[in-house]
């Protein structure tokens, strides 16, 4: 505790001694500390970034791509890190750098751990190459957003299992923490955190840099579903994420911030100046918050059913509840037949509101069905459940084969606006 106090006191003294250089004025949306992240893409034709203009526009931190698991990309990252870090700090802008991770194509846990430690070693060497951390640096960040481990051309043919993704990430984070005495930051987006990683209390101990577009930090929180939760290691009981940095748009107006490209990623910090300094000095700790439960008991209720013939759609409406009677916030439903000779059809579960699904099934063959309607939750917030179901599908009329359809006339390609729906700030 004494060490934490002394480090934070030192940071505050530096602020007072260099007030003109280090100004953490909250000039971002929502009166938050404003930041940018950059890479080689912000240096078209080797053009320089005007960090004086960036600082004047209210940017107080910039996170630079600093290393990559691939050799060519790593060399480019080092080139611009050496240029951009001192130039930004000279204008009183805090800096950080991120490592872009590629996961290994293996299910051998020993090799996964070895690979994670090797990529951590690259980051340690990169820090050493720039003289280590100084008083203007944020901890390094792990950019983990891709679990494809094998490709055929541009198509991914194999993804790493979420258990192994989590093992790799925890190993990398622990190694970098031990070697640098600072907690690294985790960068990713809500869908990846939920679908590609296992929820872990260990992961929640690291600061989260979350990418979520389409909402302004002035009025909203990142990664909130209209119905239910993204269930990941940083999800709180109110379905919000316990985030520290939010990349809220990829459509910042580059010229406004001294960037020689038309667009740039913009970020905000979640807290005030004091908590920012704790993050910058590596003394950050997660706020106390109520986490989502693990395998919480559930109850199911079959609300209604509509049985069609073989030509139609059989429909079930199902409610799933938590122990206190409130609806579950994650999961889905499906139907399984207990008779191996009877198909389960083509299923489409649609969540119409929290805890309620309309399960539509097409392609069922004629016959008597004995089966289960199942509730499953891959995130393990809520425990699995099922209700037995028995119904009969009648043979429908034999329908004529459809006539071949004419190919539509080719229409001119309309350019896609990749910034549609995003904040343009």
């Amino acid at each position: 505790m004494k060490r934490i106090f002394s480090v934070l006191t030192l940071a505050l003294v530096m602020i007072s001694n260099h007030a003109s250089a280090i100004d953490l004025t909250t000039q971002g949306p929502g009166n938050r500390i404003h930041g940018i992240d950059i890479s080689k893409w912000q240096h078209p034709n080797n053009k320089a970034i005007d960090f004086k203009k960036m600082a004047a526009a209210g940017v107080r931190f910039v996170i630079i791509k600093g290393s990559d698991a691939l050799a060519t990309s790593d060399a480019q990252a080092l080139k611009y890190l050496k240029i951009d870090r001192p130039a930004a700090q000279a204008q009183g802008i805090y800096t950080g750098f991120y490592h872009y991770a590629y996961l290994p194509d293996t299910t051998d846990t020993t090799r996964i751990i070895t690979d994670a430690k090797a990529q951590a070693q690259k980051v340690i060497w990169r820090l050493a190459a720039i003289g280590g951390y100084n008083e203007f640096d944020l901890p390094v960040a792990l950019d983990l957003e891709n679990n494809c481990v094998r490709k055929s051309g541009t198509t991914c043919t194999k993804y790493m299992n979420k258990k192994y993704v989590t093992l790799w990430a925890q190993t990398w984070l622990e190694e970098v923490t031990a070697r640098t005495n600072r907690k690294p930051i985790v960068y990713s987006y809500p869908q990846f955190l939920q679908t590609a990683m296992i929820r872990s209390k260990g992961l929640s101990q690291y600061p989260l840099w979350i990418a979520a577009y389409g909402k302004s930090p002035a009025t909203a929180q990142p990664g909130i579903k209209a119905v239910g939760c993204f269930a990941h290691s940083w999800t709180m009981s109110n379905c919000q994420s316990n985030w520290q940095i939010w990349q809220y748009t990829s459509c910042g107006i580059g010229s406004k911030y001294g960037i020689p490209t038309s667009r740039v990623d913009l970020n905000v910090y979640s807290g005030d100046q004091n908590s920012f300094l704790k993050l910058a000095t590596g003394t950050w700790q997660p706020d106390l918050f109520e986490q989502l439960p693990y395998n919480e008991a559930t109850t199911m209720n079959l609300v209604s059913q509509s049985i069609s013939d073989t030509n139609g759609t059989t429909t079930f409406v199902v409610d799933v509840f938590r122990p206190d009677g409130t609806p579950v916030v994650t999961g889905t439903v499906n139907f399984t037949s207990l008779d191996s000779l009877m198909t389960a059809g083509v299923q489409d579960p649609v969540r119409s509101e929290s805890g309620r699904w309309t399960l539509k099934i097409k392609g069922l063959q004629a016959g008597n069905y004995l089966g289960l309607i199942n509730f499953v939750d891959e995130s393990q917030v809520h425990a699995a459940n099922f209700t037995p179901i028995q119904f009969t599908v009648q043979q429908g009329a034999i329908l004529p084969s459809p006539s071949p359809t004419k190919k539509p006339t080719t229409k001119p390609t309309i350019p896609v606006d990749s910034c549609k729906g995003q904040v343009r700030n």
Side-chain angles (χ1 to χ4, degrees):
M1 181 62 73
K2 288 182 178 179
R3 178 183 175 276
I4 292 174
F5 178 78
S6 62
V7 171
L8 183 56
T9 302
L10 176 61
L12 292 171
V13 169
M14 290 189 302
I15 287 291
S16 62
N17 289 343
H18 302 279
S20 61
I22 310 175
D23 174 17
L24 289 177
T25 306
T26 53
Q27 298 191 32
N31 292 319
R32 299 185 185 276
I33 298 171
H34 212 193
I36 274 179
D37 61 275
I38 57 176
S39 65
K40 67 174 184 177
W41 302 111
Q42 279 67 53
H43 289 278
N45 301 316
N46 278 325
K47 290 182 180 179
I49 293 173
D50 185 347
F51 287 101
K52 184 176 182 179
K53 185 174 183 179
M54 185 183 292
V59 172
R60 295 297 175 256
F61 66 93
V62 57
I63 305 178
I64 306 160
K65 183 174 182 180
S67 59
D68 192 291
L70 301 182
T72 302
S73 298
D74 187 61
Q76 290 174 323
L78 176 58
K79 172 185 174 180
Y80 291 115
L81 177 65
K82 286 184 173 180
I83 295 171
D84 291 339
R85 177 174 175 258
Q89 291 186 358
Q91 299 301 325
I93 299 174
Y94 275 86
T95 63
F97 85 75
Y98 66 90
H99 171 76
Y100 190 89
Y102 286 90
L103 301 175
D105 184 4
T106 180
T107 57
D108 184 320
T109 56
T110 300
R111 292 172 62 193
I112 290 169
I113 290 170
T114 299
D115 181 89
K117 289 185 176 182
Q119 291 195 46
Q121 180 63 67
K122 173 174 279 190
V123 170
I124 304 305
W125 283 337
R126 187 56 40 87
L127 269 173
I130 60 174
Y133 285 129
N134 63 34
E135 66 269 25
F136 297 102
D137 280 319
L138 295 168
V140 298
L142 172 63
D143 184 339
L144 187 55
E145 55 182 294
N146 181 9
N147 63 333
C148 179
V149 295
R150 190 182 303 169
K151 284 187 174 182
S152 175
T154 58
T155 302
C156 185
T157 59
K158 181 183 178 184
Y159 292 92
M160 179 179 273
N161 180 284
K162 63 195 312 182
K163 176 178 69 173
Y164 299 129
V165 176
T166 306
L167 172 63
W168 190 99
Q170 288 181 325
T171 301
W172 190 98
L173 293 164
E174 290 168 3
E175 186 74 5
V176 172
T177 301
R179 301 284 295 279
T180 65
N181 204 29
R182 289 194 186 187
K183 287 183 178 180
I185 300 167
V186 178
Y187 170 88
S188 197
Y189 58 97
Q191 293 92 335
F192 186 91
L193 294 172
Q194 173 178 279
T195 61
M197 302 181 76
I198 295 172
R199 291 172 58 228
S200 161
K201 291 183 179 179
L203 288 176
S204 70
Q205 300 305 302
Y206 294 93
L208 176 63
W209 174 15
I210 192 168
Y213 305 154
K215 295 180 180 179
S216 170
T219 58
Q221 287 286 325
I224 302 295
K225 287 183 176 181
V227 177
C229 279
F230 284 112
H232 53 72
S233 297
W234 291 267
T235 304
M236 299 183 288
S237 59
N238 62 0
C239 288
Q240 295 182 12
S241 297
N242 190 28
W243 60 277
Q244 283 62 58
I245 300 173
W246 174 8
Q247 186 187 76
Y248 67 92
T249 184
S250 65
C251 294
I253 303 168
S255 58
K256 180 179 177 179
Y257 303 100
I259 303 290
T261 52
S262 61
R263 53 191 282 190
V264 67
D265 298 339
L266 298 179
N267 304 266
V268 290
Y269 178 70
S270 63
D272 60 13
Q273 175 175 292
N274 287 335
S275 65
F276 183 88
L277 292 174
K278 289 179 181 178
L279 181 66
T281 55
T283 58
W284 175 90
Q285 294 293 330
D287 294 332
L288 294 176
F289 61 90
E290 184 184 354
Q291 292 182 320
L292 293 176
Y294 281 86
N295 286 323
E296 179 184 68
T298 59
T299 55
M300 290 185 69
N301 178 31
L302 178 60
V303 178
S304 65
Q305 61 184 31
S306 174
I307 312 303
S308 180
D309 60 25
T310 55
N311 296 327
T313 301
T314 293
T315 303
F316 301 98
V317 177
V318 182
D319 283 342
V320 187
F321 299 101
R322 302 176 63 194
D324 62 1
T326 59
V328 296
V329 297
T330 59
T332 189
V333 297
N334 63 50
F335 168 72
T336 55
S337 174
L338 296 180
D339 184 346
S340 60
L341 298 178
M342 305 296 283
T343 65
V346 178
Q347 303 185 29
D348 181 22
V350 177
R351 181 166 56 183
S352 53
E353 58 187 270
S354 288
R356 171 163 289 192
W357 285 267
T358 300
L359 177 61
K360 299 180 179 181
I361 311 176
K362 294 182 179 180
L364 291 174
Q365 64 194 81
N368 297 318
Y369 280 83
L370 178 63
L372 304 173
I373 296 179
N374 307 287
F375 169 72
V376 292
D377 184 5
E378 187 179 13
S379 68
Q380 296 183 307
V381 173
H382 309 294
N385 208 329
F386 65 88
T387 186
I389 190 74
Q390 197 168 5
F391 59 95
T392 300
V393 174
Q394 302 292 338
Q395 177 64 52
I398 305 299
L399 300 176
S401 300
S403 302
T405 56
K406 295 181 179 180
K407 292 184 179 180
T409 304
T410 303
K411 296 182 179 180
T413 302
I414 301 174
V416 177
D417 180 5
S418 59
C419 286
K420 184 178 180 180
Q422 288 201 48
V423 176
R424 307 189 194 211
N425 190 3

